[in-house]
Amino acid sequence: MVKVAPSILSADFATLGEEVRRVERAGADWVHVDVMDGQFVPNITIGPGVVRSIRPHTKLPLDVHLMIVRPENFVEAFARAGADLITIHLEASKNVAELLLQIKSLGKGAGISINPGTPFEKVLPFMEHIDLLLIMTVNPGFGGQPFMHECLDKIRQAREHVDRHHLCVEIEVDGGINAQTGKLAVQAGASVLAAGNALFGAPDMRKEISIWKRF
Ligand code: DX5
Ligand code: ZN
């Protein structure tokens, strides 16, 4: 079954604890946490302190997406704050292999994310060392942008590679996911759908998630 990871970027930050509980009640699989530093992307969101604050509000895995430069400076802080999966951007670090090892040695799942402009080939050297490949389907920085259909081919390439080599790697997509684009992404091979606006803006989040899980 497809996993669904609502992005709290679209939640009401004034009531984040309740928002996270709402996500869990709605049947989500993971809580997607977008961390932005105003340098890797042109927006700023949250730090490890917020992850620590929401941690007691849910048993769901916290899927922390680091859109920051020099992620090596923060991986340990997010791990200690209660992240379960920590994803770094391939474009943001020079020592990706070392960082993946560090994330794993902290007992966390390790992920790599790639921007729409980064080809799948760039992650090939790391595919055996990750638990999660996060394929961006918008240029990261903001919620509510339209899905870039040209990324579907990359999802297909990733799925083909994972299956051919029998790898245990989740393929997550993020950006502009809704009932239509989510279905296309799953058909292309995605196993996890991260989404902000389409889930937090849905009249009934629970109903929406149950539809997506059956794609
Ligand atoms: C974008 C973030 C996404 C964002 C998606 O930079 O990484 O996780 O929350 O938001 P929607 O689903 O609204 O495009
Ligand atoms: Zn994200």
Side-chain angles (χ1 to χ4, degrees):
M1 210 158 40
V2 177
K3 290 188 176 74
V4 179
S7 162
I8 57 164
L9 185 61
S10 299
D12 178 356
F13 277 37
T15 56
L16 216 39
E18 169 51 23
E19 291 284 67
V20 166
R21 293 198 295 274
R22 176 157 84 98
V23 161
E24 181 162 344
R25 284 198 304 273
D29 299 279
W30 298 350
V31 178
H32 186 83
V33 181
D34 286 308
V35 177
M36 305 184 186
D37 67 350
Q39 294 193 60
F40 183 70
V41 290
N43 193 9
I44 298 179
T45 55
I46 60 164
V50 175
V51 171
R52 191 175 312 112
S53 295
I54 61 175
R55 180 67 283 179
H57 292 272
T58 182
K59 290 193 174 64
L60 295 181
L62 297 180
D63 168 31
V64 175
H65 177 193
L66 298 181
M67 288 161 276
I68 64 176
V69 296
R70 293 182 292 281
E72 53 275 15
N73 293 350
F74 284 96
V75 156
E76 190 170 344
F78 281 101
R80 295 201 190 288
D84 296 283
L85 292 144
I86 300 179
T87 296
I88 56 163
H89 263 267
L90 185 68
E91 305 87 357
S93 182
K94 287 195 183 75
N95 41 12
V96 170
E98 210 176 292
L99 254 178
L100 294 172
L101 276 177
Q102 191 196 350
I103 296 170
K104 288 192 179 187
S105 72
L106 290 160
K108 309 299 178 177
I112 291 184
S113 182
I114 48 175
N115 284 339
T118 303
F120 174 67
E121 288 71 36
K122 296 265 186 194
V123 292
L124 279 176
F126 309 106
M127 285 302 289
E128 303 219 341
H129 309 289
I130 56 176
D131 302 292
L132 171 69
L133 174 65
L134 175 52
I135 297 179
M136 291 307 299
T137 44
V138 299
N139 283 308
F142 300 94
Q145 303 181 75
F147 180 85
M148 294 169 67
H149 288 257
E150 55 269 42
C151 298
L152 284 169
D153 254 343
K154 202 191 292 184
I155 303 168
R156 282 186 208 106
Q157 279 176 286
R159 171 52 58 204
E160 214 218 314
H161 182 89
V162 165
D163 289 353
R164 182 154 24 97
H165 297 275
H166 308 288
L167 300 177
C168 194
V169 175
E170 297 277 12
I171 300 175
E172 183 173 18
V173 287
D174 183 13
I177 299 296
N178 56 37
Q180 287 75 42
T181 57
K183 189 167 191 172
L184 293 175
V186 170
Q187 284 167 347
S191 58
V192 186
L193 299 172
N197 276 22
L199 292 175
F200 281 91
D204 182 344
M205 193 194 286
R206 188 177 177 83
K207 202 166 160 191
E208 195 69 19
I209 288 178
S210 74
I211 295 169
W212 294 20
K213 283 193 184 193
R214 282 180 271 118
F215 283 159

